[in-house]
Amino acid sequence: MRDNTDYQEHKAYFIPDQLYEGAAERIEAGGEVWAEMRRVKRPMYQCSECCRLFLSDDAGNLVSFKPDESTRFGILKGKL
């Protein structure tokens, strides 16, 4: 997986539920948004060939998950 640019269609970030509320509260109390996001977010990727999801665990290691056969590439793409 390549991760050397912005706006990648195979990459997203997730925030563990246990960290979400605390980050939101710190932001509301005047904390810097980007600093909080860097602190709590973890990257995730989708392989364009096999559609597997790769999520970063709390130690920074990638863990993979195999989706159902009907899952297509692009589930991490954003829509505005």
Side-chain angles (χ1 to χ4, degrees):
M1 299 263 161
R2 291 191 176 176
D3 187 4
N4 57 356
T5 186
D6 293 334
Y7 309 110
Q8 299 176 69
E9 63 183 6
H10 68 279
K11 180 180 179 183
Y13 293 98
F14 73 97
I15 300 173
D17 191 59
Q18 294 173 319
L19 302 177
Y20 180 82
E21 290 295 327
E25 289 171 2
R26 287 187 295 276
I27 291 167
E28 286 179 352
E32 183 187 338
V33 174
W34 290 112
E36 285 301 324
M37 291 298 102
R38 277 191 298 277
R39 196 172 141 230
V40 298
K41 71 181 181 179
R42 295 184 194 169
M44 58 191 300
Y45 306 90
Q46 185 182 27
C47 176
S48 61
E49 294 182 21
C50 69
C51 294
R52 278 185 184 268
L53 289 178
F54 293 86
L55 288 78
S56 180
D57 66 12
D58 61 354
N61 302 306
L62 290 179
V63 179
S64 72
F65 294 89
K66 184 177 179 184
D68 295 337
E69 299 296 323
S70 63
T71 302
R72 296 178 180 254
F73 178 74
I75 63 172
L76 301 180
K77 287 183 182 181
K79 288 187 177 182
L80 294 177

